[in-house]
Amino acid sequence: MNWYPWLNETYRQLIAAYQGGRGHHALLLHSLPGNGAQALCYGISRWLICQNKEGLKSCGECHSCRLMLAGTHPDYHVLETEKGKQTVSVDAVRKLTETLSSHSQQSGAKVVYIPNTEALTDAAANALLKTLEEPSKETYFLLGCEKQENLLATLRSRCLTHYLPAPDQQIALYWLQKNVPNVNLDNAVTALMLCQGAPIAAATLLEPGNWHKRGTLCNELEIALQCADMLKLLPALNTDNCPELIGWLLGLFADAIKLQQNAGQFCVNHDQVPRVTLLATTMTSSQLIKAYEQWQNCRYQLLTVPALNQELILTNQLLQWEALIASPSL
């Protein structure tokens, strides 16, 4: 797994706590998506499970390290959603807790990594509480989350929360220039701002296919606004990563509101100023705020409600947006 330089300081702090006997058995790592939390948790897991630690580092040579590198360590458990599902079931948690109740197979630490703790159903989270509160000897939990407020308070109370901040912009830009082929500096800055400073997410956005999709969406938005026919946006939105595209659309709305409030210096979409300006002049402030709320709700539905007809939902939302623009009362 790749390692990222901005993780070094956080890694040192957390490992030093474990070395000093102050490390918590249940660490809740709060981080933006695409900020390297998965790599950090894997690095901590390797140190915890290593049988011949070398200061802050795992040795990389002991049997446990070799098993970790091969991805076959029997005492390292990753609890995540199954393919095609959006939640982690209570049955999966019960199976895990049963496994944890037995002795470790390598006579060392047992580590559980939950990359997306928000995916636990309430029943699954409740089933995990007793094990989190009273784990067996040398059992550690590393839980990742993007929005800790979405977790049960009883689960949060059993963990030590640590926030992983996004790196300084200059560090992130340096990393992007080294790792994204032929990256344009202005585009890199825009991508970082769109991803709230998370470099890995920005690198994914800068991939030609994703950057082109965003450009296509902005182009189609301009055409739709000029024609007053918002359904022209449907083909650009109705894709496999529709929630992400709606996120880009929400960013354009937010920038248009900033322009109307004479706060254009805080805009994020630096490469789309003409489209943001068109949006700001076509819609009133009230219309933009209402549309923002409607699209936010649409995105939430698509992310959380299974088996929705995406095309139908989008069509309805685009027609509502068209009617909103035409409404003289807003």
Side-chain angles (χ1 to χ4, degrees), residues 294 313 315-325:
Q294 289 176 344
I313 294 291
T315 300
N316 180 62
Q317 183 56 50
L318 289 167
L319 288 173
Q320 285 188 43
W321 186 8
E322 190 173 308
L324 182 65
I325 292 175

Side-chain angles (χ1 to χ4, degrees), residues 155-225:
L155 187 147
R156 296 200 307 270
S157 68
R158 287 161 171 79
C159 302
L160 174 67
T161 301
H162 188 96
Y163 178 66
L164 177 64
D168 180 80
Q169 188 183 72
Q170 291 305 312
I171 294 173
L173 285 174
Y174 179 79
W175 182 83
L176 284 172
Q177 289 176 306
K178 289 287 186 180
N179 290 273
V180 179
N182 304 314
V183 65
N184 175 281
L185 182 60
D186 290 337
N187 289 348
V189 171
T190 298
L192 272 175
M193 295 182 72
L194 286 168
C195 298
Q196 301 177 71
I200 306 165
T204 301
L205 176 55
L206 287 165
E207 291 175 2
N210 292 328
W211 199 251
H212 177 72
K213 280 185 180 179
R214 176 174 169 271
T216 299
L217 176 67
C218 294
N219 290 339
E220 294 300 320
L221 172 62
E222 180 177 6
I223 294 169
L225 287 171

Side-chain angles (χ1 to χ4, degrees), residues 48-113:
L48 289 170
I49 223 160
C50 176
Q51 297 172 331
N52 188 27
K53 300 175 179 64
E54 298 177 349
L56 295 172
K57 297 181 180 180
S58 52
C59 71
E61 296 295 333
C62 69
H63 186 56
S64 284
C65 281
R66 290 179 184 274
L67 288 173
M68 284 293 287
L69 289 169
T72 57
H73 201 295
D75 298 319
Y76 177 62
H77 309 277
V78 180
L79 187 62
E80 55 188 344
T81 56
E82 298 176 10
K83 187 175 181 179
K85 295 185 179 180
Q86 295 180 328
T87 58
V88 176
S89 69
V90 65
D91 290 336
V93 171
R94 286 171 179 162
K95 183 179 178 181
L96 171 67
T97 54
E98 184 179 344
T99 302
L100 294 175
S101 64
S102 59
H103 293 291
S104 64
Q105 296 188 39
Q106 296 297 313
S107 302
K110 291 176 285 186
V111 179
V112 176
Y113 173 44

